[in-house]
Each structure stands twice: as C-alpha cells, then as structure tokens.
Amino acid sequence: MNPMAPAQPVDELRRAIADVFDVFSVTEAKEPRGAVVFRGRLTVDSDRAFNTIRPRFEQIGYTPLIEPWQDGQSVMALPGVVVVKPSNPMINLVLFLLTIVTTFLTGALYSANLDALLAGQFATSGFSFFDGFTFAASIILILGAHELGHYFVARYYGAPVTLPYFIPMPPLISPIGTMGAVIRLKAPFVNRKSLFDVGIAGPLAGLVFAVPVLLIGLAMSHVGTCPGTCLQEGNSLFYLAAKYAVFGKFLPHDGLDVQLSPVAWAGWVGLFVTVLNLLPAGQLDGGHIVFAILGRRAKYVGYAVIGIMLVLALPALPEFFDRPAFRVDLSFIGSLLGMPGLYYPGWSGWLVWVALIWFTGVKHPIPLNDVSELGMPRKLLGVLAIVIFILLFTLLPFSISQ
C-alpha cells in the first residue's frame, strides 16, 4: 500500500475541485510518483470543470488530468506545472532559407543533363531557373500551408507551439529537395476538441493549395512516353480523376502517361504528403484525429495500420535478400478493370513509416481533459478526413518504368 501524499496538499486539491466534482475516493497513484487521484463524478461540463480546476491546481504546483472512470470520472493531480521554454526563431529561418535553396536546385535540375553540367556545358544542360523557382514556390507553399494550418489553430487554442521547421535535403538525396516540415507542440493537448482541430487543420490547409497546384501543373505538362528510365508516381483515385479532367483520358494507357512538369510534381507530392499525414496511427495528423474520436481504442487502429503497411511492403522485400521478387497476383481484379496481368510488386518505403510510427509511439498521448466530447460536426469532419484519405491513397507510391 502506497503512503498518501501530505495531508495539506491533498486537502487543498480537494477544496480546489469541490464545486465541480463530487469525490467518492482519494488515492495516491503508483505512477507518476506523488500524483493524487480523486475518483467520483463531474457536476458540470468537462470543459468548464477543467478550465476551473487547472488554474487552481497550478497555484498549488499541480496539473490536472481528467479521465473516464467506471460510470464517472477521475481527476489526477500531477505534480508539477508545464513550463514552456522559448524557442529560437533563427533556427526556423535558417532552415527555411536552406530549404528554398535545396528545392530551387531540385526544380532547376528537374530536366537537366547532369553529364552536361559536370562537363561545364551549362547553357545546353537543361538547368532551368524558371523550373527551379516554380517548383520551390509550389512545394514550399503546400508544405508551409500544411504546417501553418496546425500552427494557427494551435495558437487559437492558446497552445504553445513552435513555428514550422523546414527540413532541407540535397537534390541528389531527395527527389523533392526536402523532407517536409514539422512543428512542435511544447505542452500536452488540453482536450479532444483542440486535438482534433489541430490535427485536421494541416491536411485541409495543405490541400487548399495542393489541388490547384496539381491542376495548374498538369496543364503545364504533356502526355508522352518515358524517355528511358523514369520514376513513376503512383495513381490515387483523385489523381486519376485529375489527369482525366485535364487530358480527357485515364492515364497511363497504351504506354502513354503524363510527363510531369515541376509544378505538377510538387502538386503530386503535396497530395502524397497529405495522405501520409492522414495515416490513422501514432502521432501523425490521422493519429490525432482517430484518437480524438475513439480515445484509447485508437491504438488498435494504429496496430492495424502497421500490419497493413507490412503486408504492402512484403512483395518488395525479397530484392533485399538477393532473391527473386514475387508478385501478388491481381489478375482477376485487373480483368474487371480492363488491365490484364495486373500485379502488385510492393513498396519497401512503407517500412520507413512503420518504423516512424513504432518508434514515436503507436499509443497516442492523452489530452489533459480526456472526457471532453467532440460533437457531431467534428465527427462528420472526421468522416470527411476518411474520404479524403481513401481518394488520395495509393498502394504503390513510386516505381521505376522503362
């Protein structure tokens, strides 16, 4: 049996919740050490109760955590108060400027002949300042809108959050000149409403720019055959529809496909980044959304996502062991779609996302008010997020075509 915390703090904490919470029992939690748990039932709305309790607890040196308990709730008094340390915006600025450089170079080299460049034949190499500018502007606009969507909604809720950190990557390492951008929340989410809103704001804001960038980019592209070995982007339902809207036919078809302009490539990447972030697992945007809706049951969705991605990667694994790759035969489905001989070769990149989700945590951190209700409008918006995910998802994001 654990000894109780000193009587004086317990009495103060109990008085701090007396007008919003009927206490049935008081115990000391095993973890974290020094935490006090009050079990009982809220007498007011959970959001009102939390906003009442939090400043009172903080004056005593504690942070409240409201969780479901049997037919009622529990209020855990966590020792300590969140202290937000200021971040250095110069880091954000330097990374942003470096990302402008790397994405510009990626776009400028999009159609360039590297051998000609290395030979000093700059004028005939295909290096294009226009492609560099349009690609950099497009990809930074999409990624920036995504992260600023998170940022402004978090600030609306008063959450301490950093400015976006762009991650530059050399063009010869990354086909987009960056590994994206991230922001960091410096304190736990207050409730499920803020968790949901911050989570969904990024993908929606990014799509507002990714869709028109893609359509404009497709209008700047042309249909043709691949000149040699090409990196083939995957087809989602939305991407197929977008190509049909611009070119009047489903592509690829009869060896023809869209030869993407740099702007179209940026638009496609924007869609792909959106669907990756909407994966309903861990601390991705989709993980925020599904936890806000399902609570702790969301971890089962996360484990299912990991399992599915492992299956999707499986056909590509033999190549890493010098074994002949095997094909997942989809000929029956292919015959229905008019694509006989259809097969799925797998994409080993899914393993990267399995590792990311696993090491950052399949279980989502709990908001401080874990009994708040979302309401029907947010649940319907969650359904919209599922629809967007289905429309943007592609089984095989990248492949090599000749």
Side-chain angles (χ1 to χ4, degrees), residues 165 259 274 323:
Y165 292 95
Q259 305 305 304
T274 299
R323 300 287 181 86

Side-chain angles (χ1 to χ4, degrees), residues 12 22 36 41 81 137 162-163 169 201 210 214 299 331 360-361 378 388 391 402:
E12 286 186 73
D22 285 336
V36 181
R41 183 173 290 112
V81 177
T162 66
L163 289 167
M169 290 293 289
L214 175 69
K299 66 181 179 182
S331 56
T360 57
R378 285 183 174 84
I388 292 173
L391 291 176
Q402 295 180 338

